[in-house]
Amino acid sequence: MRHFGHIAPEVRQRLFHQEPCEFTADSPARLLSAALGATLYSPATRPRLADDIVKQAALGVVSMVLCLEDSIDDADVAAGEENLVRQFADLDARADAGVGVPLLFIRVRTPEQIPDLVQRLGVTVRLLSGFVFPKFTEERGIPFLEALASAETFSGRRLFAMPVLESPELLYRESRVETLEGIFRAVDKYRDRVLALRLGVTDFCSSYGLRRAPDMTAYDVHVIASVISDVVNMLGRADGTGFTVTGPVWEYFRVPERMFKPMLRTSPFLEGQAVELRIKLIEHAMDGLLREISLDQANGLMGKTCIHPSHVLPVHALSVVSHEEFSDAADIVRPGRDGGGVLRSAYTNKMNEVKPHRAWAERTMLRAEVFGVAHEDVSFVDLLAAGIPG
């Protein structure tokens, strides 16, 4: 699989200075954590789940979570588990026939579900990349991680963990640092199996009876923004101790009425002759989503939880590295630059300071590998327009 693999090769060649790389579920963890992109959630109870997965993979989705937790009723858990076993058997037959399948994760409620599901999946566990753990803290999380390790031994397959950080202990100021320290101890012990940490902002908002409006981002809700900041501060460091932290979910599909002006400038769409695309994005609250994706990246997050297929392309389009970013990053990491120094950028509009900017450059080069580098004259508008099915 590869990002933007669903668009024609000649279109990719026109858009990309460096095309996104190909990867598989067996690729190195560092690459996969960056390649998750827009991770699409789906209830595990959907009767045509295998069809949905194949359809979304053909439209550019590379990672999905099949949810047995908050997205389904408590009474439907057993039926959801049975449905997953049936749908994985269906998918396995299609994969044998050459049909593409994205990275698949199951969001469970209890540690006991992990070995049980792995056993029931049988040989079709080869399609599973791992599990998502809800409301993760050190105390609640260790049993999940231990169950994952046992299931991995039983199945003989590498399985990843994606803990969701969404508990009240993490949100409340008086317990936040202690909770984060405990989370770090837990995930550090199982570092090789923790693919990414996911932020559960909806649960955070629930603790205060809040819900952000479609013309506001998570960063406009200060009590939420402070948690994101502290999570990145303690768990997302670039010194080798950190983990990939993914962006929060965007809840909206369409906005009937607005209080504030749209958050998309007109000029990029005029230059790309895509005025109608701008109107469509605004009608479907995508301007708020695009703004939040940009703020996710500025605050050290990579990828995003998505609950609607229409959100996938914007996440991926804004994850593509611009030619200017790539030029700067390549200059900074060029062999022989370990001694430091200051360089004028090739675009002659900024300074690149080798030592302070090196971690950014290395992160940018990894993103360039999995999402590609746009041609010098290609903007996010061009990437959005090219990725929309005709």
Side-chain angles (χ1 to χ4, degrees):
M1 68 191 89
R2 63 160 53 172
H3 285 290
F4 296 93
H6 64 298
I7 64 177
E10 62 271 18
V11 177
R12 287 203 307 271
Q13 189 174 16
R14 175 173 57 82
L15 293 172
F16 289 98
H17 168 77
Q18 174 184 301
E19 290 195 27
C21 71
E22 293 185 346
F23 57 92
T24 71
D26 296 317
S27 293
R30 181 172 179 269
L31 187 76
L32 290 181
S33 68
L36 287 168
T39 301
L40 184 64
Y41 274 54
S42 177
T45 51
R46 290 181 68 88
R48 298 178 64 86
L49 185 59
D51 291 338
D52 295 340
I53 291 169
V54 170
K55 176 184 177 182
Q56 295 307 325
L59 294 174
V61 172
V62 303
S63 64
M64 291 186 68
V65 172
L66 313 176
C67 185
L68 289 166
E69 211 234 352
D70 284 348
S71 69
I72 67 173
D73 191 278
D74 296 346
D76 294 333
V77 175
E81 293 175 346
E82 293 171 3
N83 188 53
L84 280 180
V85 174
R86 288 194 302 271
Q87 301 294 338
F88 265 73
D90 186 349
L91 279 175
D92 194 57
R94 300 193 201 196
D96 281 339
V99 175
V101 177
L103 304 173
L104 296 177
F105 302 85
I106 298 174
R107 181 171 177 171
V108 290
R109 294 184 174 215
T110 67
E112 293 74 24
Q113 286 178 294
I114 294 172
D116 179 60
L117 282 167
V118 167
Q119 184 173 11
R120 290 162 67 180
L121 287 172
V123 295
T124 69
V125 76
R126 71 188 181 103
L127 300 178
L128 184 66
S129 289
F131 291 89
V132 176
F133 306 151
K135 301 171 180 59
F136 191 92
T137 61
E138 181 179 28
E139 182 180 0
R140 287 194 293 268
I142 288 292
F144 281 100
L145 290 165
E146 290 175 343
L148 179 79
S150 297
E152 187 177 59
T153 300
F154 172 81
S155 67
R157 172 161 179 78
R158 180 181 70 170
L159 296 170
F160 287 112
M162 290 204 291
V164 184
L165 310 185
E166 56 187 347
S167 65
E169 300 98 313
L170 180 57
L171 180 62
Y172 300 152
R173 180 185 291 272
E174 65 271 20
S175 55
R176 185 179 304 169
V177 172
E178 182 181 355
T179 302
L180 282 169
E181 289 173 342
I183 290 171
F184 178 80
R185 286 192 295 269
V187 295
D188 187 50
K189 182 178 179 180
Y190 291 85
R191 176 173 293 274
D192 290 345
R193 290 297 170 261
V194 177
L195 191 61
L197 305 176
R198 312 200 71 88
L199 286 165
V201 163
T202 302
D203 276 39
F204 287 155
C205 288
S206 173
S207 296
Y208 287 92
L210 303 174
R211 186 173 192 176
R212 68 189 188 277
D215 44 13
M216 294 186 182
T217 72
Y219 303 91
D220 295 312
V221 184
H222 288 191
V223 68
I224 304 304
S226 71
V227 185
I228 296 174
S229 174
D230 286 344
V231 167
V232 174
N233 191 321
M234 296 184 68
L235 301 175
R237 299 178 186 179
D239 60 359
T241 66
F243 297 83
T244 294
V245 182
T246 65
V249 70
W250 182 258
E251 300 177 348
Y252 295 94
F253 320 133
R254 180 178 286 272
V255 182
E257 186 176 350
R258 287 180 172 273
M259 182 180 297
F260 301 108
K261 290 181 179 180
M263 290 179 271
L264 282 178
R265 290 171 54 240
T266 304
S267 55
F269 293 86
L270 291 175
E271 294 166 5
Q273 298 181 334
V275 175
E276 290 184 3
L277 174 59
R278 179 178 181 271
I279 294 170
K280 183 178 179 180
L281 290 170
I282 292 170
E283 285 177 349
H284 289 80
M286 297 296 182
D287 56 324
L289 171 61
L290 291 167
R291 173 67 173 162
E292 186 165 284
I293 295 166
S294 297
L295 289 169
D296 286 342
Q297 294 174 355
N299 285 277
L301 309 184
M302 185 178 292
K304 199 166 185 66
T305 296
C306 293
I307 43 80
H308 196 274
S310 64
H311 298 167
V312 172
L313 179 58
V315 174
H316 292 170
L318 284 181
S319 297
V320 173
V321 174
S322 72
H323 188 272
E324 181 173 349
E325 288 177 307
F326 180 72
S327 174
D328 290 338
D331 274 352
I332 291 166
V333 300
R334 186 166 294 153
R337 294 267 162 85
D338 294 344
V342 178
L343 313 166
R344 186 176 68 167
S345 74
Y347 277 70
T348 67
N349 59 0
K350 71 178 78 65
M351 73 166 190
N352 292 323
E353 198 167 352
V354 174
K355 287 185 177 179
H357 290 145
R358 188 169 189 88
W360 167 85
E362 291 172 348
R363 184 184 178 103
T364 300
M365 295 300 279
L366 177 60
R367 184 159 57 93
E369 185 175 358
V370 293
F371 287 101
V373 179
H375 273 305
E376 190 171 357
D377 59 348
V378 169
S379 72
F380 78 94
V381 176
D382 300 307
L383 293 161
L384 282 172
I388 295 173

